[in-house]
Amino acid sequence: MPHRNAAVLDRSEPWIQNAIERVLLSEDQIRARIAELGQQISKDYAGQHVILVSILKGSVIFLADLVRSLNIPVGVDFMAVSSYVGSETSGIVRVTMDLRESAEGKHVILVEDIVDTGLTLAYLKNLLKARHVKSLKICALLDKKESHRVEVPVDYLGFKIPSEFVVGYGLDYSEQFRNLPFVGVLKREYYSKPDKKQK
Ligand code: 5GP
């Protein structure tokens, strides 16, 4: 039987049209950049086993594509942290779900959807270093460089983006828009109602 693709997203749907101001990164741009990142990581870790630690929930779609672009032995694990209220950072990072397996003595790459203030990654970097990983690098799809409050060097970066609130390709606003295949800027009127959000 011929393989049937998943239904194609209809971008003229009101739930998209009413919420998305503009597409920032298209599916094709994202795909091409991830292929490049995959090549670079595979080259850097040739002959090694690496664990990709995905920060839930925003990075799962990025992780799924990134892991399939790698040409090296690789494992995946997950952590969840909470730090955001609505579209504003609270600046407080809390681990809500920890790794399943010990990271001690392993080559770890933290996989994050987006760096904003940098507080989440700075916190997680310190946490994992204290667990005596063999090496630790950061891979992020998006970086809002102008919003950094602390300096976190991203070793593998997809795209530098302006300081606007974006959704899609795994990133949500109040558990909406993760399923958009592109990254889009959310209209400002969506920011008005603050609510508790898990990343
Ligand atoms: P940081 O600690 O760097 O300020 O925050 C990083 C986290 O904030 C990301 O993992 C993401 O969950 C959330 N975040 C920051 N900026 C955005 C954004 O523009 N859109 C969405 N959906 N989440 C964001």
Side-chain angles (χ1 to χ4, degrees):
M1 220 164 80
H3 172 73
R4 289 188 58 192
N5 283 329
V8 175
L9 187 83
D10 179 358
R11 294 173 192 205
S12 65
E13 285 286 335
W15 69 272
I16 300 177
Q17 287 294 315
N18 295 338
I20 304 301
E21 190 180 290
R22 67 181 196 280
V23 173
L24 194 64
L25 299 165
S26 70
E27 273 178 270
D28 286 348
Q29 282 175 289
I30 298 170
R31 192 180 309 118
R33 185 68 191 118
I34 291 177
E36 289 173 355
L37 289 176
Q39 274 182 12
Q40 186 63 52
I41 294 172
S42 303
K43 198 170 141 225
D44 293 352
Y45 288 85
Q48 322 254 36
H49 186 272
V50 61
I51 308 291
L52 300 187
V53 172
S54 159
I55 315 304
L56 294 174
K57 304 177 195 172
S59 71
V60 287
I61 294 183
F62 178 38
L63 173 83
D65 285 341
L66 182 68
V67 77
R68 287 176 293 175
S69 75
L70 296 179
N71 198 14
I72 47 170
V74 61
V76 296
D77 208 338
F78 299 89
M79 284 181 96
V81 295
S82 148
S83 71
Y84 266 69
V85 179
S87 67
E88 296 296 321
T89 178
S90 62
I92 299 160
V93 182
R94 199 165 53 91
V95 173
T96 55
M97 194 194 95
D98 211 334
L99 298 173
R100 275 289 173 93
E101 311 218 349
S102 165
E104 192 176 336
K106 295 179 184 164
H107 293 293
V108 172
I109 302 178
L110 272 173
V111 178
E112 178 63 303
D113 49 1
I114 183 164
V115 189
D116 185 10
T117 61
L119 291 167
T120 306
L121 280 177
Y123 176 84
L124 290 174
K125 214 177 158 180
N126 284 337
L127 187 89
L128 287 174
K129 273 191 170 163
R131 294 182 183 179
H132 306 292
V133 292
K134 194 164 186 182
S135 71
L136 182 62
K137 284 194 178 174
I138 290 176
C139 177
L141 181 67
L142 310 171
D143 191 357
K144 295 186 196 172
K145 283 224 159 77
E146 275 99 54
S147 302
H148 286 197
R149 279 203 236 159
V150 286
E151 223 20 76
V152 201
V154 177
D155 303 282
Y156 304 103
L157 175 64
F159 304 90
K160 185 179 168 226
I161 64 161
S163 293
E164 292 176 287
F165 196 80
V166 293
V167 293
Y169 197 73
L171 288 122
D172 78 314
Y173 179 71
S174 294
E175 283 306 327
Q176 278 192 88
F177 310 115
R178 290 196 199 275
N179 54 326
L180 298 180
F182 55 85
V183 172
V185 176
L186 190 65
K187 287 183 181 169
R188 283 223 163 244
E189 50 260 42
Y190 264 81
Y191 298 10
S192 48
K193 282 189 244 142
D195 66 27
K196 182 85 185 101
K197 153 179 184 307
Q198 179 163 35
K199 286 152 38 79

